[in-house]
Amino acid sequence: MAPQTQKALLLSEKFGKFVVGDTGVYKAGPGEVLVKVKSVALNPVDWKVQKYGAFIENYPAILGCDIAGDVEEIGEGVEGFKKGDRVLSQNATFQNKYGGFQQYVITLGAALGKIPDSFSYDEAATIPLGLSTAYTGMYNPGPHGLGLAPPTSPETQGKYIGEPFVVLGGSSSVGQMVIQLAKISGFSPIITTASLHNTAELKQLGATHVLDRKLSVEDLSAQVNDILGGRPLKQVYDSISLPDTQKTGLALLAPGGQLELVLPASVTTPEDKVVNTIVAVLSFPHNLEILGPLYRKLITGWIENGAIKPNRVEVLPNGLEGIVGGLKKLEEDAVSRAKLVAHPQDTI
């Protein structure tokens, strides 16, 4: 039985400081599951909420989007789980009961996946938000996504054989997931930009070509055109979405092509191209509709058979207190191709 109180990392006020404090443990309502959090992964959105005051209006606030742990309590209407099941979830809803930076968290039963026995909680926690962002951006219809056929059946897996795909920022958490989903969907070639020391790892994920992210637009376009051999490029997923990468994505696309962004558009879209932007908030109906089948039916098998691989893990010390220093490292861009993971239960 869960305790009545717990430790949580609280953002005290808008633009305020993170502090560890006590809060109540939630009850699982209809459609919800209470999870004892064993591992929680950090994401850039966590420090951006603190620095820019985005998304949150009620304080103190509890952040944290990527959780892995054990089922503690099951709410009415949730089927397929029992107490003690090892699970993972993407909890990007920006409500305190869903925030992963605490010892017990509420998740939506409709988008909760089981962790294979061969995987650790730390590995599992590196997957959800990156995968959800990649998946919704690729398979949601516009204006949220590229509108591709989700690879939910043998008929749709491999559907895009022979069609090229470009991922800008392939070594980011989202970029790595996009590469793997593009492979599941059959795209080829899969071209990505990254620092070249990541080439071997990105090719293991499914990239066929890794090009230097420092190339000029002209040089990158020339190399992509050589790889394509005259085939039109219809899909670019920009997992970085800064102004320069957005301009690059548009330059690479053929007329009629689509550019998918993870940040708001800062470019003027030509009449003959389309720009979409994904916001991977789980509670948005269009996201929950497409993510439900991913978590309930697909994710466990994909992790188990290696179709989706976890990120590298760097464990932070001191439980929830270690998150503060970890978020500073993320803000300073001092983390490369790894996920910072904390253990809330280690909090003293």
Side-chain angles (χ1 to χ4, degrees):
M1 185 174 178
Q4 293 186 330
T5 61
Q6 62 169 330
K7 296 293 184 182
L9 185 68
L10 304 169
L11 181 58
S12 58
E13 58 186 347
K14 200 166 191 173
F15 312 116
K17 294 182 178 181
F18 285 106
V19 294
V20 174
D22 295 316
T23 187
V25 174
Y26 315 94
K27 294 290 293 181
E32 297 178 340
V33 175
L34 179 66
V35 174
K36 182 177 182 179
V37 184
K38 294 298 189 73
S39 298
V40 60
L42 281 59
N43 290 282
V45 68
D46 300 318
W47 68 260
K48 290 177 181 178
V49 167
Q50 179 194 26
K51 184 171 183 177
Y52 300 114
F55 298 117
I56 303 290
E57 293 300 329
N58 298 316
Y59 293 86
I62 302 172
L63 307 180
C65 302
D66 279 331
I67 66 105
D70 297 332
V71 170
E72 184 70 25
E73 179 184 294
I74 301 169
E76 180 183 353
V78 178
E79 299 180 351
F81 296 97
K82 65 182 185 300
K83 181 178 170 61
D85 280 345
R86 303 168 72 245
V87 293
L88 74 166
S89 179
Q90 187 265 95
N91 273 29
T93 62
F94 303 108
Q95 298 179 50
N96 278 6
K97 68 178 181 179
Y98 298 118
F101 294 164
Q102 55 191 327
Q103 293 176 319
Y104 291 86
V105 69
I106 292 292
T107 67
L108 296 177
L112 188 64
K114 293 183 179 180
I115 303 172
D117 292 340
S118 58
F119 268 68
S120 69
Y121 294 108
D122 289 345
E123 290 173 312
T126 71
I127 292 174
L129 184 58
L131 178 60
S132 295
T133 304
Y135 196 88
T136 51
M138 292 177 69
Y139 305 117
N140 258 334
H144 307 292
L146 298 174
L148 303 171
T152 54
S153 68
E155 291 73 30
T156 54
Q157 292 180 15
K159 177 180 174 65
Y160 298 98
I161 290 175
E163 294 190 31
F165 197 98
V166 167
V167 185
L168 300 177
S171 61
S172 68
S173 294
V174 173
Q176 291 178 61
M177 293 300 172
V178 174
I179 290 170
Q180 294 175 84
L181 290 173
K183 182 179 179 180
I184 292 171
S185 285
F187 283 99
S188 183
I190 300 170
I191 305 166
T192 191
T193 59
S195 296
L196 293 183
H197 68 264
N198 291 317
T199 296
E201 290 87 352
L202 295 179
K203 286 189 173 182
Q204 288 178 353
L205 297 180
T208 58
H209 300 79
V210 180
L211 305 182
D212 193 340
R213 66 182 181 88
K214 295 180 180 179
L215 288 172
S216 67
V217 174
E218 294 76 18
D219 289 341
L220 181 63
S221 296
Q223 291 195 26
V224 169
N225 288 335
D226 285 345
I227 295 167
L228 298 183
R231 284 176 291 175
L233 178 62
K234 297 292 188 178
Q235 319 288 348
V236 173
Y237 196 120
D238 181 2
S239 70
I240 305 300
S241 297
L242 296 176
D244 286 347
T245 60
Q246 293 185 26
K247 293 175 184 176
T248 298
L250 284 176
L252 294 175
L253 282 170
Q258 298 187 89
L259 174 64
E260 184 66 27
L261 304 176
V262 298
L263 295 175
S266 60
V267 291
T268 300
T269 305
E271 292 184 0
D272 62 347
K273 297 176 183 179
V274 177
V275 175
N276 304 300
T277 302
I278 179 62
V279 178
V281 174
L282 183 60
S283 56
F284 287 176
H286 60 270
N287 286 340
L288 190 56
E289 181 179 356
I290 196 169
L291 290 175
L294 169 65
Y295 280 90
R296 294 300 299 265
K297 298 179 180 180
L298 298 172
I299 193 169
T300 305
W302 281 356
I303 297 173
E304 202 162 29
N305 67 22
I308 294 295
K309 298 177 176 63
N311 213 321
R312 288 205 313 257
V313 173
E314 180 181 334
V315 176
L316 299 168
N318 303 321
L320 293 168
E321 291 182 355
I323 292 174
V324 180
L327 292 177
K328 190 66 176 176
K329 289 182 66 174
L330 287 179
E331 183 178 358
E332 294 171 349
D333 198 22
V335 182
S336 177
R337 224 184 72 76
K339 272 283 195 179
L340 304 181
V341 173
H343 296 162
Q345 303 301 323
D346 292 347
T347 309
I348 298 174

